Amino acid sequence: MTDVGLLWKTRLFGIMVRSLSVHRWQFFHLRNISAQTCRHQSTAASLPSQARVVVCGGGAIGVSVAYQLTLAGWNDVVILDQNSVIGASTLLSAGIIRRLAPSFLQTKIAEYSNECFDNLVKQGYDIGLHRSGSVHLAKTPDRQIDLKRQHSIAIAAGYESQLLTPEDLHKKFPYIHTADLYGALWVPMDGFIDPEATYKAVLKIAQEKGVRIVEGCQVTNVGLEKLYVKDVDTSLGKINCEYFVNCSGLWAREVGKLSSRKIRTPLHPCEHQYLVTHPVFPKEDKDYPIVFDLDNQMYMRAQRRGVLCGGFAANTKVAFPVQIPKDFTNKTLPEDWDSFQGLLGSLLKRIPSVHGAEPLKLVNGPVAFTPDGRAIVGEAPEVRNYYIAAGLNCKGTTAALGLAKLVVDRMTTGKTEFESWELDPRRFLDMHNNRDYIKSRIRETSQWVFGLNYPFRDETSRSARKVRTSSLYSPFKAAGAVFGQFMGYERPLFFVTEQMNALPDMDFFPSTFGKPSWHSAVEQEYNACRYSTGLIDLSSFSKFEVKGEGAMEYLQYLCSNDVDVPVGAIVHTGMHNERGGYENDCTVVRLGPSTFLLVAPTIQQTRCKKWLIRQRPANSNVVIDDVTSAYTVINIIGPLARDLMSHFHDMSPAAFPFFTCQTINVVNASNILAMNVTHTGEMGWVLYIPNEYALYVYEQLLKFGKDYNLTLAGHFAMRTLRIERFYAFWGQDIDSTTTPYECGRAFRVKFEKGDFIGRKALLEQQTAGVTRSYVQLLLDEHDMNNDPWPWGGEPIYCNDRFAGKTTTTGYGYTLNKQICLGTVKNIDPATKEELRITPEWIQSSRFEVEIAGKRFPAKVNVRSPRLPAVVPFEHPEVAKYATTQDDQAGVKKFVTKMAGEM
């Protein structure tokens, strides 16, 4: 143990010897962890025989779900808790409330939770709410850029915030050491609550509206009937129900196993410690802001004039490595001064006055984290009417009410106000629920609570890598590939060039908010794809075989485009919900009269399969097989792709038209499914290769590709190609709230074919028009070498008013500009009403994109830009490549004109 840790531990022991009983009373009065208090308002009711909704877990999130259900008019709700409601995880929370969050959705969740806190106060409840404000400190230049980005988002969202210099910060809060800082962000409406008082109030309101509580009741099985929730077996008996909500906190993964169909709930607890000291500040707690010393992984706030300081050690410890004890309730873990000493040293440096303080308690409690650091909120893909609200990643007490609203909205109305995909349980595969995988990941994701939110942080995470790879991982690695993981699948991002400086491990390239180290490498790969030939690995894309009697009619009902096409034809189409939003954006290939191959984005593997299964009619003969792992997929792309591929097959336009597929041989390898299509708008073929042939086919392509400057390219190059072409990707640019009319894909919707899911909503929108539009913005006056780059989420301004945010961004190597894709709205400044958007309004308006506090003027496009042609348009079907256009007639006119000019 270090001298600092030993000194404070000695102090603590001395204090406890002198006045152990007094201090215990002070601490436990502060947190009220006692059976009597935890059973506040408990009726100790016997288990009812029936309820509409059973909520498993009576912590902050479980109580919040029950409360939100009553606001929605669902009062027949029972909360089951294996011990007592409002347990230690809630009571031991620091109670910090924040408005800023790393994403739009999480910001909205925080906003709603804050509104709920204010409403509780208005109703007369004393929840210990104090808007003391918060300061976020920047010790590094990158952290300062990140704070500027957050400030831009806060102002756009209507939140008050202020950037402070170190001098400003010292004047405002002289007790904070500022000599090592670049600056700070002041958020005056942040603050803290008393978690116990807050959720007692929430519970009381819920009980008054009919919610029942059964404590000391352990769930043993969730009964199913035809994959719907039927009932719940408990240690006290059976309860019939229509809905089940897993709010079991630390035990949520184990509860997920308590049904015949196991529910993926990937989470596990880490240790989280905080220190409470005796009084050190002369004023009341509300007079001192919360301090987020982000680069030291630490937070602190005043607590009864003392300091409450917590965070995550550099090497976060996994709690309960083997199994979580069933009786671990209202308990803490052993204090670990050795682990806490780094945070303690940072505290003493940041708040020098704490040197003289006497410690009251070091609290060590388990906090559940997920493999990607985001909560699990929504309906389970495995079972209908089974919902999850767990894995809150240290944000439970302050975000519970907002997260609960997402669950309840989905449960009671079938939709949410905002797209909630980033928290959806369907984002996981079985590998994510592997306990060893989870434990490996949460050591890293727990550090993200205060870590810098660099671009591609998820993709370039360091833990649990090389688990899921294509057949070509090793040769790609040998060729200099730098990989990123998507759904756990390793994909080349780019390939190291000779000009790049050698790094110890190029799998983890330097992170930055500015010009990235891989810029020149991606430029070479992009140029190969645009002007000669590139090879890109697409093996990670989700792939499903849909076959059997009625397969065509089934897909016709799911798809908005017409998939009743000749065998061998390829169709790009959306699959929509009843509101017309994209549940899936996919490619459908007709392999036979009743056999189709469906290709979807990598992140949709679970989501797409569950959507297909749930829309399949009862007693249907249609079979759905996930064949994602059966193929290695190579994209040969570029103007010389036809010449290269002609070594293996007749690739002339007459013999192999655009948007068709054929089975070909590549020298000695057979049964290669070749598709004349790309996902970026360039000429090319995608080869679906049975895995046993993959290495051989790859080697043959390299051999024959030497004459065509065949260059290995990664997904960064592919990303740049599609951004420059104005191609939207699901999950990045469009989602379940986006319709074809809002993103320029109405030409893919074929109303004349008959009924399909979402048809009614799309017909109504066709008449009414849209109030938001997907656009491409080309930035002017941006210095690519010195200015921070856009990375997504930047505010878009129209005529000096906030109009939307960017989605995906990239540098356009042909257009020689930063390019931002995003969605904009025309909001009336007086009424705040969203007005109908017209092309005239867009073209006559002045647009800007704000990056880290600086606005850049932007030219706006609503159609795919006209890039210099490399090869002639040899076939009229090339019109189908123009995926972001207003109408098919306009596309054909453009193609005809281009062909005539060439």
Side-chain angles (χ1 to χ4, degrees):
M1 181 179 296
T2 65
D3 292 342
V4 171
L6 181 61
L7 173 63
W8 276 67
K9 188 170 184 179
T10 302
R11 285 183 181 176
L12 181 61
F13 286 155
I15 295 165
M16 292 178 69
V17 169
R18 292 197 306 271
S19 51
L20 180 61
S21 61
V22 174
H23 292 155
R24 274 184 176 168
W25 179 87
Q26 286 178 329
F27 181 74
F28 287 104
H29 177 72
L30 176 66
R31 290 301 183 203
N32 264 330
I33 305 177
S34 67
Q36 181 179 0
T37 302
C38 289
R39 294 176 185 270
H40 173 76
Q41 286 286 316
S42 171
T43 61
S46 59
L47 187 75
S49 61
Q50 187 279 333
R52 188 175 191 182
V53 184
V54 169
V55 178
C56 179
I61 186 65
V63 167
S64 297
V65 167
Y67 167 79
Q68 292 292 342
L69 283 166
T70 65
L71 295 184
W74 290 28
N75 301 317
D76 187 11
V77 180
V78 173
I79 300 175
L80 307 180
D81 198 287
Q82 65 181 349
N83 194 291
S84 53
V85 296
I86 311 182
S89 293
T90 302
L91 299 172
L92 291 174
S93 166
I96 294 171
I97 56 176
R98 304 171 67 179
R99 286 185 175 270
L100 296 183
S103 72
F104 173 79
L105 174 64
Q106 293 179 56
T107 299
K108 286 297 181 181
I109 289 169
E111 179 182 1
Y112 179 80
S113 297
N114 274 272
E115 290 174 358
C116 289
F117 299 143
D118 290 335
N119 287 335
L120 289 172
V121 173
K122 291 177 182 177
Q123 294 176 56
Y125 292 97
D126 182 4
I127 62 171
L129 174 62
H130 295 292
R131 301 286 183 187
S132 57
S134 70
V135 287
H136 301 67
L137 310 182
K139 276 184 63 178
T140 65
D142 275 3
R143 179 70 70 178
Q144 181 72 348
I145 292 173
D146 192 38
L147 293 185
K148 289 180 178 179
R149 289 171 59 87
Q150 292 189 50
H151 176 62
S152 292
I153 294 169
I155 297 302
Y159 303 150
E160 183 181 355
S161 70
Q162 180 184 358
L163 289 167
L164 303 176
T165 65
E167 294 75 22
D168 295 333
L169 179 64
H170 184 72
K171 290 178 182 177
K172 197 173 186 69
F173 308 110
Y175 59 89
I176 298 177
H177 176 70
T178 62
D180 60 343
L181 299 180
Y182 282 82
L185 181 65
W186 164 241
V187 185
M189 291 306 291
D190 282 355
F192 55 89
I193 57 171
D194 180 335
E196 178 189 2
T198 299
Y199 290 98
K200 278 184 179 179
V202 171
L203 180 60
K204 181 175 183 293
I205 295 171
Q207 286 184 279
E208 289 173 350
K209 293 186 177 184
V211 171
R212 291 165 287 176
I213 300 171
V214 181
E215 297 177 314
C217 180
Q218 186 174 344
V219 172
T220 58
N221 181 68
V222 179
L224 309 178
E225 184 175 354
K226 296 181 179 179
L227 295 183
Y228 277 77
V229 169
K230 176 187 175 185
D231 52 42
V232 178
D233 290 321
T234 78
S235 56
L236 301 181
K238 183 188 293 289
I239 178 170
N240 297 313
C241 61
E242 298 176 45
Y243 297 85
F244 179 81
V245 191
N246 183 351
C247 301
S248 308
L250 307 181
W251 294 271
R253 183 174 178 274
E254 301 307 313
V255 169
K257 299 177 182 179
L258 301 179
S259 60
S260 58
R261 179 65 67 91
K262 308 306 179 189
I263 309 298
R264 287 189 292 257
T265 316
L267 57 81
H268 193 86
C270 287
E271 293 187 8
H272 169 234
Q273 295 194 106
Y274 65 78
L275 173 73
V276 181
T277 77
H278 278 278
V280 66
F281 296 126
K283 299 179 182 179
E284 297 296 323
D285 294 352
K286 61 183 176 62
D287 297 319
Y288 298 94
I290 302 158
V291 178
F292 293 104
D293 196 348
L294 302 168
D295 295 304
N296 287 321
Q297 293 283 317
M298 180 177 62
Y299 65 85
M300 65 201 82
R301 75 170 180 88
Q303 174 82 318
R304 296 198 170 204
R305 296 189 177 181
V307 170
L308 186 155
C309 170
F312 290 92
N315 297 309
T316 303
K317 288 189 176 181
V318 172
F320 314 117
V322 179
Q323 188 171 3
I324 304 170
K326 292 182 179 180
D327 62 348
F328 188 87
T329 303
N330 297 341
K331 297 179 181 178
T332 58
L333 297 166
E335 51 188 43
D336 185 350
W337 284 95
D338 286 341
S339 177
F340 192 76
Q341 58 89 15
L343 295 175
L344 180 58
S346 298
L347 169 66
L348 297 177
K349 181 177 180 180
R350 187 63 61 207
I351 312 289
S353 57
V354 178
H355 274 281
E358 294 184 333
L360 175 61
K361 184 74 175 179
L362 182 65
V363 181
N364 189 0
V367 177
F369 277 86
T370 61
D372 59 4
R374 298 193 294 271
I376 309 171
V377 179
E379 188 178 21
E382 298 87 354
V383 174
R384 299 301 297 264
N385 295 352
Y386 187 120
Y387 286 81
I388 306 170
L392 307 189
N393 300 276
C394 215
K395 303 180 182 71
T397 57
T398 58
L401 286 160
L403 292 168
K405 179 171 171 56
L406 284 181
V407 173
V408 171
D409 283 353
R410 180 70 67 182
M411 187 187 306
T412 58
T413 69
K415 60 183 180 180
T416 55
E417 183 178 358
F418 306 104
E419 172 60 43
S420 56
W421 167 245
E422 66 186 76
L423 307 181
D424 197 301
R426 292 173 294 175
R427 71 188 190 269
F428 297 120
L429 299 169
D430 284 341
M431 67 170 289
H432 298 113
N433 204 38
N434 177 312
R435 186 188 294 275
D436 289 333
Y437 177 90
I438 298 169
K439 289 190 294 185
S440 176
R441 292 288 298 130
I442 63 175
R443 289 186 177 93
E444 180 172 6
T445 59
S446 61
Q447 299 293 305
W448 292 357
V449 173
F450 300 117
L452 277 164
N453 190 21
Y454 278 121
F456 309 111
R457 181 174 69 174
D458 290 3
E459 292 88 338
T460 58
S461 56
R462 293 174 177 261
S463 54
R465 295 293 297 270
K466 305 177 186 177
V467 178
R468 192 177 179 217
T469 67
S470 83
S471 305
L472 301 178
Y473 177 87
S474 294
F476 283 147
K477 182 69 175 176
V482 177
F483 291 88
Q485 67 82 26
F486 299 77
M487 287 287 280
Y489 206 114
E490 298 289 341
R491 306 195 309 196
L493 300 178
F494 63 92
F495 289 80
V496 177
T497 64
E498 295 179 359
Q499 291 76 21
M500 298 180 69
N501 294 326
L503 296 172
D505 187 349
M506 279 303 297
D507 274 355
F508 308 111
F509 53 85
S511 299
T512 180
F513 291 112
K515 183 179 179 180
S517 59
W518 41 260
H519 176 76
S520 60
V522 173
E523 182 176 18
Q524 292 184 30
E525 296 168 18
Y526 168 93
N527 286 335
C529 296
R530 276 281 288 150
Y531 302 111
S532 57
T533 318
L535 185 154
I536 303 176
D537 181 13
L538 303 183
S539 302
S540 68
F541 279 29
S542 305
K543 299 173 278 292
F544 303 92
E545 195 172 83
V546 181
K547 59 187 177 182
E549 181 184 353
M552 189 276 291
E553 292 79 7
Y554 161 70
L555 287 175
Q556 278 287 68
Y557 182 63
L558 264 63
C559 299
S560 55
N561 206 339
D562 188 356
V563 299
D564 188 6
V565 293
V567 172
I570 302 171
V571 176
H572 283 330
T573 183
M575 293 183 180
H576 305 280
N577 51 44
E578 294 292 348
R579 302 181 304 281
Y582 280 95
E583 286 296 328
N584 190 7
D585 182 46
C586 58
T587 300
V588 176
V589 185
R590 192 165 195 175
L591 301 177
S594 298
T595 303
F596 296 81
L597 179 67
L598 190 152
V599 182
T602 302
I603 59 174
Q604 280 211 327
Q605 188 170 350
T606 298
R607 180 191 181 106
C608 184
K609 183 175 181 180
K610 297 308 174 183
W611 180 258
L612 291 171
I613 291 174
R614 290 188 175 184
Q615 304 306 319
R616 182 173 53 186
N619 303 317
S620 171
N621 292 319
V622 174
V623 176
I624 301 164
D625 289 329
D626 186 342
V627 296
T628 300
S629 299
Y631 296 97
T632 299
V633 183
I634 293 176
N635 183 194
I636 300 298
I637 182 173
L640 301 183
R642 173 173 286 124
D643 300 290
L644 169 56
M645 293 301 299
S646 293
H647 285 277
F648 316 117
H649 194 78
D650 184 355
M651 296 294 182
S652 64
F656 205 145
F658 282 102
F659 277 71
T660 63
C661 71
Q662 298 180 26
T663 299
I664 69 171
N665 298 331
V666 175
V667 191
N668 295 325
S670 305
N671 299 318
I672 312 301
L673 182 63
M675 301 183 189
N676 190 349
V677 65
T678 67
H679 299 280
T680 61
E682 307 298 327
M683 177 181 289
W685 277 264
V686 180
L687 307 180
Y688 284 73
I689 310 165
N691 286 329
E692 64 267 31
Y693 295 140
L695 184 59
Y696 176 82
V697 171
Y698 171 72
E699 291 173 346
Q700 295 304 311
L701 290 169
L702 293 186
K703 174 183 174 181
F704 287 94
K706 290 179 181 179
D707 293 335
Y708 306 99
N709 190 33
L710 180 64
T711 301
L712 300 181
H715 278 259
F716 282 171
M718 179 179 173
R719 185 174 184 271
T720 300
L721 288 163
R722 68 99 175 167
I723 289 173
E724 202 165 40
R725 290 281 190 181
F726 197 7
Y727 275 36
F729 268 27
W730 195 96
Q732 300 178 51
D733 305 297
I734 59 177
D735 53 43
S736 65
T737 69
T738 313
T739 72
Y741 286 99
E742 294 168 345
C743 64
R745 294 185 172 186
F747 68 90
R748 290 185 180 176
V749 179
K750 301 298 189 292
F751 292 113
E752 64 276 11
K753 72 169 188 165
D755 195 20
F756 58 87
I757 300 174
R759 185 176 190 272
K760 179 181 177 182
L762 293 177
L763 281 170
E764 291 174 352
Q765 193 175 61
Q766 183 185 51
T767 301
V770 299
T771 58
R772 63 175 180 171
S773 179
Y774 181 57
V775 298
Q776 182 191 61
L777 298 153
L778 311 181
L779 303 194
D780 290 327
E781 302 176 11
H782 184 275
D783 185 339
M784 65 178 295
N785 294 309
N786 297 304
D787 288 324
W789 281 31
W791 294 107
E794 289 83 11
I796 302 171
Y797 285 86
C798 176
N799 303 327
D800 295 321
R801 296 193 301 270
F802 175 66
K805 61 184 181 67
T806 65
T807 51
T808 50
T809 62
Y811 185 81
Y813 295 100
T814 296
L815 296 174
N816 291 316
K817 289 182 181 293
Q818 295 284 358
I819 304 172
C820 300
L821 308 184
T823 302
V824 296
K825 297 180 179 180
N826 181 12
I827 302 175
D828 187 294
T831 65
K832 306 302 179 183
E833 178 186 1
E834 294 181 8
L835 305 177
R836 179 173 177 171
I837 287 182
T838 64
E840 292 75 22
W841 174 79
I842 291 178
Q843 296 300 333
S844 64
S845 297
R846 177 173 52 85
F847 286 89
E848 297 171 295
V849 175
E850 183 168 311
I851 307 172
K854 183 178 180 180
R855 293 189 189 180
F856 296 90
K859 175 188 175 183
V860 64
N861 289 325
V862 293
R863 296 178 175 86
S864 299
R866 179 175 168 179
L867 301 181
V870 180
V871 293
F873 289 94
E874 299 166 317
H875 195 284
E877 286 294 289
V878 76
K880 294 181 181 177
Y881 277 122
T883 62
T884 309
Q885 299 285 347
D886 288 339
D887 60 86
Q888 185 74 3
V891 176
K892 289 182 177 178
K893 186 183 296 183
F894 169 73
V895 172
T896 301
K897 179 182 178 183
M898 286 288 291
E901 291 177 356
M902 296 166 53

